[in-house]
Amino acid sequence: MIKRLFPMLAILASGLMPISGPAQPAPLHVLAFYSSNVERDHVDFALQALTFFAAAAKKDKFQFESTTNWDDLNSQRLKGVQVVMWLNDSAHTAQQRAAFEQYMERGGGWFGFHFAGYNDSGTHWPWFVQFLGGAVFYGNSWPPLPAMLDVDDQTSPVTRHLPAHFLSPANEWYSWHPNPRANKDVKVLLTLSLSNFPLGFKDTLTGGDIPVVWTNTRYRMIYMNMGHGDRIFSDTHQNQMFEDALLWLERKHQVQMGVTAP
């Protein structure tokens, strides 16, 4: 019996025998989509976002890529991508939309900004409306102005570094009908403070409950209304939230894969 143990001990000592341990999560891989032929203020935001998230990728050790080719929304290209980011536009063709729906229904991650959530009666994408929690674009403020935001839940990993209220940089603020908060699957994280109203010269944002950041808990997603102009990344609180939101989406992926406890 002792002789039989010697070869086994030798193998263990040499390190040739694999020793089982906890699975290691794959590095976060983010693919950001944007368009360069849309409204100039939206392009300005996208270009600054690319710089911001590229720097965050170096700091937080994740892979960040970007593309202006929306046909990259296909099952082959999205393999190994944990988070799809839409900076200033959204899928347009039936093929792009179908691929995105499949990606999200199978557990993919989405981080959408501002115009990425725009939809109206002409969009003809009912799946995306329910994906946003039933929210349909109703109106917008003008001109772009800073706004005081209320944090609905400071215990969320997305908002944990934010004060209870903070002044968000100049932006064009959207309102929604129906209100996404009415959807039982929606968790609202930030809301326009009532102290802002009336906001700008348009009469569509004169008051009421206007969510700014939320997640549909049926999916691994988050939507943020910020994204108009070149001032969005001028606030340290808000920048931290952007980074925290992306890392939160990563953690939710690790939970899905069973490599991190909920």
Side-chain angles (χ1 to χ4, degrees):
M1 177 66 69
I2 294 177
K3 290 182 178 180
R4 291 181 178 177
L5 286 174
F6 284 148
M8 182 65 69
L9 292 172
I11 291 174
L12 286 172
S14 68
L16 296 177
M17 177 170 284
I19 300 175
S20 61
Q24 294 299 310
L28 174 63
H29 183 184
V30 180
L31 179 58
F33 289 81
Y34 71 105
S35 295
S36 58
N37 59 348
V38 294
E39 186 175 343
R40 184 65 225 179
D41 281 326
H42 295 170
V43 176
D44 289 343
F45 164 76
L47 295 178
Q48 290 190 352
L50 295 178
T51 300
F52 175 83
F53 285 108
K58 291 182 179 179
K59 172 187 172 185
D60 297 318
K61 305 296 190 293
F62 63 85
Q63 184 179 357
F64 180 76
E65 295 183 89
S66 63
T67 180
T68 57
N69 181 12
W70 287 83
D71 285 332
D72 280 340
L73 272 176
N74 64 74
S75 59
Q76 187 64 34
R77 182 68 177 87
L78 296 181
K79 284 183 179 179
V81 173
Q82 283 80 45
V83 176
V84 166
M85 188 178 285
W86 290 1
L87 297 176
N88 65 1
D89 206 352
S90 62
H92 297 288
T93 70
Q95 293 81 3
Q96 294 166 4
R97 291 178 174 184
F100 180 68
E101 291 177 23
Q102 183 182 70
Y103 171 77
M104 292 305 304
E105 295 290 350
R106 292 182 176 179
W110 181 77
F111 196 158
F113 288 94
H114 197 58
F115 192 73
Y118 180 89
N119 65 88
D120 57 22
S121 59
T123 306
H124 304 300
W125 194 6
W127 180 91
F128 188 69
V129 173
Q130 68 84 22
F131 173 71
L132 276 183
V136 177
F137 174 83
Y138 180 71
N140 63 284
S141 65
W142 195 260
L145 291 170
M148 186 64 68
L149 302 183
D150 296 334
V151 180
D152 290 54
D153 180 9
Q154 286 185 286
T155 67
S156 167
V158 177
T159 57
R160 64 191 178 94
H161 289 118
L162 294 177
H165 317 277
F166 75 99
L167 187 66
S168 180
N171 185 54
E172 175 193 29
W173 304 98
Y174 291 171
S175 63
W176 311 87
H177 184 75
N179 190 327
R181 197 190 302 273
N183 188 312
K184 63 180 178 58
D185 295 318
V186 166
K187 175 69 172 177
V188 176
L189 299 177
L190 291 180
T191 305
L192 276 173
S193 172
L194 292 175
S195 65
N196 294 300
F197 301 119
L199 186 59
F201 302 125
K202 297 184 74 169
D203 61 3
T204 51
L205 264 66
T206 56
D209 175 23
I210 302 180
V212 172
V213 174
W214 68 85
T215 177
N216 180 344
T217 59
R218 292 180 55 200
Y219 299 93
R220 190 162 57 90
M221 63 83 80
I222 192 163
Y223 172 74
M224 298 192 176
N225 187 217
M226 302 82 168
H228 186 102
D230 59 4
R231 301 295 305 279
I232 301 300
F233 294 97
S234 61
D235 181 79
T236 55
H237 290 303
Q238 186 162 278
N239 291 352
Q240 184 65 58
M241 179 184 65
F242 293 155
E243 187 176 351
D244 286 343
L246 185 55
L247 297 178
W248 171 72
L249 290 172
E250 177 189 22
R251 179 175 174 81
K252 287 179 70 68
H253 171 70
Q254 293 175 359
V255 171
Q256 286 178 344
M257 300 301 293
V259 297
T260 301

